[in-house]
Amino acid sequence: GPEFAVDGSGMMGVMHAAASANGTMWMAKNSRYPKWIRIDLGDERQLSAMKIYNFNWEGYTRRGSESVEIYHTDQSADPGNPVDAPSNWQKIGEAIELNQAPGKSNYGVPGNNLPDKVEMNIKARWIAIKINSAFERGVCGLSEIVFE
């Protein structure tokens, strides 16, 4: 489920280990695009950036998300998702092209395939990532999202 993308599972410090996706990464449940993942931060928080660790399962990194859009809202009530309820969300910048993960346990170590970092200066209760495409069609996912 989406909780695996923000719970630190699979992380060792700043590194994401290329383990099995089961219980350590988020994968979309179907192959239709666009896909989305939504994160409830619990309370409104000031965010300066987020790091996106793409799908890092060795041999399956082409399931990583490629073109994404980032959205936020400070609504306390459930805002739905940016695909079906776009008026509840504010887009942060333009679409971003993510890098494919290395499929190695040193993902995130300085000098070795750093995660994509999205700079922002927002207050948000909810964050959503709309996935427009993956490196290969079909299911896709993300390993970890870290907020700063």
Side-chain angles (χ1 to χ4, degrees), residues 3 15 24 30 41-42 62 75 95 104 107 110 134 143:
E3 66 276 5
M15 294 186 312
T24 64
N30 61 55
L41 300 171
R62 292 198 50 78
Q75 282 188 209
K104 305 285 183 214
Y107 185 22
S143 290

Side-chain angles (χ1 to χ4, degrees), residues 35-53:
K35 302 174 188 305
W36 55 269
I37 179 173
R38 183 182 69 171
I39 300 132
D40 180 358
L41 300 171
D43 292 307
E44 187 176 76
R45 291 178 44 192
Q46 181 69 39
L47 302 174
S48 61
M50 74 180 197
K51 292 179 183 174
I52 302 173
Y53 290 78

